[in-house]
Amino acid sequence: MSCVPLQKVHDIIGDDAFAGLEVVLHLLLGWPMYLFINATGARRLNKEFGHKRIPKGEILDHFRPDSKLFPSTWKFAVFLSTAGLLIWLCILGFVGTKIGFWRLTLMYFFPYLWTNAWLVLYTWLQHTEENIPHWGVEEWTWLKGAALGTIDREYGIFDWFHHDIGSTHVCHHIFSKIPHYHAHEATR
C-alpha cells in the first residue's frame, strides 16, 4: 500500500494539519485497518514461517484461516471467528431492514466507531513516548519490543475499567498469560 497520496496531502496542508488528520484517521480507521490488512501490526510472520519479515505485497489479515499471521493450529478457530462475524453482519443487515439503516447506524455503528477509537487511543498511548526506542529490522527482537517498546501509564479510574492494563502494560507484554488480577504483583 503506497503512502504517496498521503504525502501529497501532507505537502498541501502542512505539518500541524496533517498531524491532526493522522490522529483522526488512526482513531476512526486504525482498528479496522489492523484487522483487514494488519496495518501497524506485526512486521514478521509467525514462528511457523521462521519469524521472517513479511514479504512485500503479502497481506496478513485476521479473517482468513490460512493467513500467515496465525499458526496452522489456529485455522479452525479463525474460521469459526470469521463465520461468527459474517453471521453477525447478516443479523445487523436484517435488523437494519426492520428498524432502518440510519437508526442502526446511530445505535450500533457510531458506538462501534467510538469503541474502536478508544481501543486505538489506549493502545497508542501505551506504545508512544519520547523515550521509547525504535529499532530497524535487524536490531529488533521480541523481548526488546515487549520490554522496551511499551510503557506503564496510569489512567486513574480508567485503569480499573481496563483491569489495570495501562499501569501493568510492560508486564502484560512480557508475561501475557498472567491473569490481570496478578499483574500488579508481577509488575512490582
Side-chain angles (χ1 to χ4, degrees):
M1 181 190 240
S2 172
C3 291
V4 174
L6 285 179
Q7 183 60 48
K8 288 180 183 176
V9 171
H10 175 266
D11 293 344
I12 293 168
I13 66 176
D15 288 342
D16 293 341
F18 188 75
L21 176 65
E22 273 198 313
V23 168
V24 170
L25 289 176
H26 272 84
L27 294 181
L28 288 178
L29 301 176
W31 184 247
M33 295 302 285
Y34 168 69
L35 294 175
F36 282 105
I37 63 169
N38 198 42
T40 71
R43 295 289 165 247
R44 295 175 187 269
L45 301 173
N46 76 60
K47 66 182 175 185
E48 251 179 53
F49 300 99
H51 289 291
K52 294 177 187 160
R53 185 141 171 86
I54 297 170
K56 193 166 183 76
E58 178 91 33
I59 294 180
L60 303 183
D61 63 78
H62 290 75
F63 303 108
R64 288 178 302 126
D66 63 344
S67 174
K68 290 182 181 175
L69 194 57
F70 306 115
S72 58
T73 56
W74 291 15
K75 280 186 179 189
F76 188 65
V78 174
F79 168 77
L80 288 177
S81 176
T82 301
L85 288 171
L86 292 173
I87 290 167
W88 184 245
L89 285 175
C90 290
I91 291 169
L92 288 175
F94 175 76
V95 169
T97 64
K98 298 297 179 193
I99 68 170
F101 286 98
W102 178 243
R103 188 170 178 195
L104 178 67
T105 299
L106 293 174
M107 293 173 61
Y108 185 81
F109 288 106
F110 286 150
Y112 179 78
L113 287 176
W114 175 260
T115 302
N116 286 344
W118 182 262
L119 286 170
V120 169
L121 177 63
Y122 208 85
T123 304
W124 205 352
L125 289 171
Q126 291 309 130
H127 299 92
T128 306
E129 177 71 22
E130 285 182 31
N131 300 332
I132 291 180
H134 293 262
W135 297 278
V137 177
E138 301 304 319
E139 300 90 32
W140 185 91
T141 65
W142 177 87
L143 189 56
K144 280 183 183 177
L148 303 173
T150 186
I151 60 166
D152 290 338
R153 212 185 269 275
E154 299 285 335
Y155 292 103
I157 188 70
F158 296 108
D159 270 344
W160 181 81
F161 289 136
H162 294 284
H163 305 290
D164 296 305
I165 193 66
S167 56
T168 62
H169 201 73
V170 174
C171 173
H172 156 77
H173 270 258
I174 298 172
F175 308 108
S176 60
K177 294 187 182 195
I178 290 179
H180 71 87
Y181 46 84
H182 289 304
H184 276 290
E185 180 185 348
T187 297
R188 284 189 287 261

